[in-house]
Amino acid sequence: MNNYIDIGINLTNKQFQNDKETVINKAIRAGVSKIILTGTSVKGSQEAFRIAEDFPNILYSTAGIHPHDAKSMDNQSIAKLRKLLENKEVVAVGECGLDFDRDFSPRIQQEQCYKAQLELACEIQKPLFLHERAAFIRFMAITNDFISQLPKAVVHCFTGSISEAKAYLDKGFYLGFTGAITDKKRFAHLKEVLHYVPMDRIMIETDAPFMLPKNISKTNLRKEHQRRNEPAFLPYVADYLALIKQIDVADLNEIIVKNTLDFFGL
């Protein structure tokens, strides 16, 4: 069985509130040996860390404030994130960045929140787990102000254009791909992106409970959770990526696992 690492799952999401342990054990049986829980707010980051502590060497977490939650940042937020990041189980700063598609937080607050987390990442030198949606120009402008001091960074759940992918790769960033790559209608352009991105810059994730892969047979989905993605479905992302890259899935995954272990220091 192949070994997989899921770099992003929203296990604190309410869709998992009744069966977290079942979801984790199902993922392990599917060959997902390590899972990184995404922190999207101070409270959510604290909860993700508490869950990760219960599954040593399997679960890890990030600590950050998602742009949707930027409006929640206060004078203590960065200090609380810094304290979380002192723990070895907390392996990255984020999820942080800009989202001008939804604008759930005012853009000026998003930018202030993102800058504060970039400063934190530069200070502690733990990797960055980045989010950018419909905000590429401002995202790059802000990021460039810190680029000489930044640690390693991954743009998670990448669904952007090939020109955006090239810009990120030129900065030395990694790209995280989800089940979005299997959506041949909405994200057909990702086939060209995947052909271009070198194997040593790719990581994979489910972003569960979102981004359910399109190549999953409905017979493999529980009736009560037919629209919910889970980390156990990560192999479907790897299988499709291997198909696009025209490489054996075991060989592909060996490279991706090495990328991930080295990036996060696992």
Side-chain angles (χ1 to χ4, degrees):
M1 177 183 288
N2 286 318
N3 169 45
Y4 304 91
I5 301 177
D6 191 339
I7 69 164
I9 165 179
N10 300 283
L11 198 61
T12 59
N13 186 280
K14 62 183 180 181
Q15 292 190 50
F16 294 122
Q17 63 186 353
N18 296 320
D19 61 348
K20 289 184 178 69
E21 189 165 340
T22 299
V23 167
I24 294 165
N25 288 327
K26 183 179 175 184
I28 293 169
R29 289 195 300 272
V32 184
S33 61
K34 297 183 187 299
I35 302 169
I36 300 175
L37 312 186
T38 306
T40 57
S41 65
V42 171
K43 182 180 178 182
S45 297
Q46 291 168 337
E47 184 182 354
F49 168 59
R50 286 194 294 269
I51 298 169
E53 282 188 299
D54 292 335
F55 293 83
N57 300 316
I58 297 173
L59 298 190
Y60 300 86
S61 67
T62 70
I65 303 172
H66 190 287
H68 290 345
D69 286 285
K71 58 183 176 291
S72 71
M73 189 176 79
D74 60 28
N75 300 349
Q76 299 301 313
S77 294
I78 296 300
K80 290 176 180 177
L81 294 179
R82 184 185 292 109
K83 184 172 179 60
L84 279 172
L85 286 154
E86 291 173 357
N87 298 284
K88 62 180 177 59
E89 296 88 353
V90 185
V91 295
V93 178
E95 176 178 2
C96 60
L98 301 177
D99 193 312
F100 292 173
D101 182 66
R102 300 292 183 85
D103 283 323
F104 287 158
S105 286
R107 294 184 180 186
I108 189 166
Q109 287 183 293
Q110 290 189 45
E111 293 188 7
Q112 290 168 346
C113 188
Y114 180 41
K115 289 176 185 177
Q117 290 175 92
L118 289 175
E119 290 173 355
L120 178 60
C122 291
E123 173 194 336
I124 65 171
Q125 287 297 300
K126 278 195 172 183
L128 273 160
F129 192 74
L130 298 173
H131 173 105
E132 180 273 310
R133 191 174 182 187
F136 178 77
I137 293 174
R138 281 302 296 153
F139 181 85
M140 290 302 286
I142 292 169
T143 307
N144 283 338
D145 288 340
F146 297 84
I147 201 71
S148 64
Q149 306 169 63
L150 282 185
K152 293 176 288 188
V154 56
V155 181
H156 107 100
C157 192
F158 183 81
T159 56
S161 67
I162 191 164
S163 62
E164 291 170 350
K166 289 178 178 179
Y168 289 137
L169 293 170
D170 287 346
K171 297 294 182 186
F173 293 177
Y174 290 69
L175 300 179
F177 292 98
T178 68
I181 66 174
T182 67
D183 190 334
K184 299 176 184 178
K185 293 182 180 179
R186 185 179 176 196
F187 297 116
H189 67 282
L190 289 179
K191 184 175 182 180
E192 182 185 13
V193 172
L194 291 171
H195 279 302
Y196 178 81
V197 181
M199 286 295 305
D200 62 358
R201 295 288 194 86
I202 293 175
M203 290 185 271
I204 56 174
E205 55 183 313
T206 55
D207 200 25
F210 315 113
M211 297 297 179
L212 183 70
K214 298 289 188 181
N215 56 339
I216 300 177
S217 168
K218 288 188 177 181
T219 59
N220 292 329
L221 300 174
R222 292 173 61 186
K223 186 175 180 180
E224 67 271 32
H225 294 142
Q226 284 209 352
R227 292 179 61 83
R228 186 182 80 172
N229 197 7
E230 298 183 13
F233 300 148
L234 188 64
Y236 291 94
V237 179
D239 288 348
Y240 194 80
L241 180 56
L243 183 67
I244 296 297
K245 285 289 197 181
Q246 296 184 315
I247 182 175
D248 181 79
V249 69
D251 294 336
L252 172 139
N253 206 54
E254 183 178 350
I255 297 169
I256 290 177
V257 165
K258 183 182 185 303
N259 294 346
T260 308
L261 293 174
D262 291 347
F263 181 91
F264 291 104
L266 302 181

